[in-house]
């Protein structure tokens, strides 16, 4: 049985890659899919809804690889591979990427939230290993914001000295902000905040059976104070 809706999405996706969202039209989609305009409107309502569906389909395709990939023994390697996959997808599918991440409320799409959960899962493993400077959700926000901003910048800036190695430099900068080496560096004055950040990140993903919920909350509050730069 032919899935007309998916055929329209496939035709629209191919068209989007060639024309971009600015020149994208229902008429061209109809010609590409061999259908009439009423059929498109029946399934999607209007051009805006069709583009939204194309963006959701783009997220689905992007996440297929992430869903099928088993975590490795090294969460840091998984984190680096995730960054490379994200930037690589954007550079390979620029029109898709701009539609997915360059539009209002892009982060509210269910598939975008699923991608965030996958990233948080990797960061939780790093937190359990004592490698995270902050709770996984905060680290995920920083990494995601950096990866999206970097990719959109690469798509809008001509290749040249300014962009050479930009993705790797941005990755290293944001990872340095959210991660630290196994050995906490620095003297006693700097070690306490670093250790507090590490313990705060670790306890945010681990149960502390010896503590009541109230005690656990107090401990997290105290660690947050010790982890601040003013501590």
């Amino acid at each position: 049985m032919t899935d007309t809706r998916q055929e329209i999405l496939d035709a629209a996706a191919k068209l989007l890659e060639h024309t971009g969202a600015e020149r994208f039209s229902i008429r061209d989609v109809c010609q590409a899919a061999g259908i009439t305009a009423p059929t498109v409107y029946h399934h999607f309502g209007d051009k805006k809804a069709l583009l939204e569906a194309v963006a959701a389909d783009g997220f689905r395709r992007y996440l297929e690889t992430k869903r099928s990939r088993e975590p490795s023994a090294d969460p840091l390697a998984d984190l680096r591979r995730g960054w490379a996959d994200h930037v690589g997808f954007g550079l390979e599918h620029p029109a898709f990427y701009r539609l997915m991440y360059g539009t209002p409320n892009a982060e509210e799409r269910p598939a975008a939230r699923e991608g965030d959960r996958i990233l948080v899962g990797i960061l939780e493993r790093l937190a359990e290993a004592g490698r995270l400077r902050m709770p996984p959700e905060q680290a995920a926000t920083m990494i995601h914001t950096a990866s999206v901003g970097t990719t959109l910048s690469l798509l809008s800036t001509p290749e040249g000295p300014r962009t050479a190695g930009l993705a790797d430099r941005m990755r290293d900068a944001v990872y340095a902000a959210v991660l630290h080496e196994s050995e906490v560096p620095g003297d006693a004055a700097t070690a306490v905040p670093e250790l507090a950040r590490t313990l705060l990140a670790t306890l945010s993903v681990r149960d502390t059976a010896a503590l009541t919920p109230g005690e656990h909350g107090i401990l997290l509050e105290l660690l947050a104070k010790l982890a601040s730069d003013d501590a």
Side-chain angles (χ1 to χ4, degrees):
M1 179 178 178
T2 301
D3 186 343
T4 302
R5 187 179 189 278
Q6 189 59 50
E7 286 186 351
I8 296 172
L9 282 176
D10 292 342
K14 291 179 181 178
L15 185 64
L16 179 71
E17 293 281 30
H18 286 92
T19 67
E22 298 80 7
R23 298 173 56 190
F24 183 92
S25 71
I26 294 293
R27 174 184 292 181
D28 291 338
V29 172
C30 291
Q31 291 179 347
I35 57 175
T36 61
T39 303
V40 176
Y41 293 128
H42 168 73
H43 287 281
F44 300 98
D46 55 21
K47 176 182 173 180
K48 181 179 179 181
L50 174 57
L51 284 172
E52 180 66 24
V54 171
D57 198 52
F59 271 113
R60 177 186 62 78
R61 299 181 188 193
Y62 170 61
L63 289 172
E64 280 178 352
T65 301
K66 290 182 174 291
R67 292 189 189 112
S68 62
R69 181 178 291 157
E70 292 294 328
S72 75
D74 184 356
L76 181 56
D78 291 346
L79 189 66
R80 294 174 69 90
R81 184 171 57 183
W83 177 282
D85 287 347
H86 183 100
V87 176
F89 180 86
L91 297 182
E92 186 177 353
H93 305 285
F96 251 137
Y97 191 87
R98 289 190 181 97
L99 188 61
M100 290 162 61
Y101 289 104
T103 55
N105 302 318
E107 309 303 325
E108 297 304 315
R109 296 187 178 103
R113 292 195 291 270
E114 180 181 349
D116 182 68
R117 288 193 295 272
I118 293 173
L119 175 57
V120 169
I122 296 173
L123 291 167
E124 286 176 343
R125 294 170 60 209
L126 285 164
E128 290 173 352
R131 297 291 305 276
L132 212 56
R133 293 178 184 268
M134 61 191 70
E137 290 78 8
Q138 293 180 13
T141 298
M142 290 183 64
I143 292 171
H144 178 71
T145 301
S147 63
V148 171
T150 298
T151 307
L152 289 174
S153 180
L154 289 172
L155 292 178
S156 62
T157 306
E159 291 187 17
R162 291 182 59 187
T163 58
L166 177 63
D168 290 345
R169 294 197 305 273
M170 287 297 299
R171 177 202 63 208
D172 292 345
V174 73
Y175 285 9
V178 303
L179 301 169
H180 60 64
E181 300 297 333
S182 297
E183 297 292 332
V184 177
D187 55 23
T190 58
V192 169
E194 285 291 338
L195 288 169
R197 292 184 188 110
T198 300
L199 186 55
L200 179 62
T202 303
L203 291 180
S204 70
V205 296
R206 285 187 181 178
D207 292 331
T208 50
L211 301 178
T212 67
E215 291 170 338
H216 185 264
I218 292 172
L219 177 58
L220 293 182
E221 183 179 349
L222 292 173
L223 287 172
K225 289 184 178 180
L226 287 174
S228 69
D229 292 332
D230 296 330

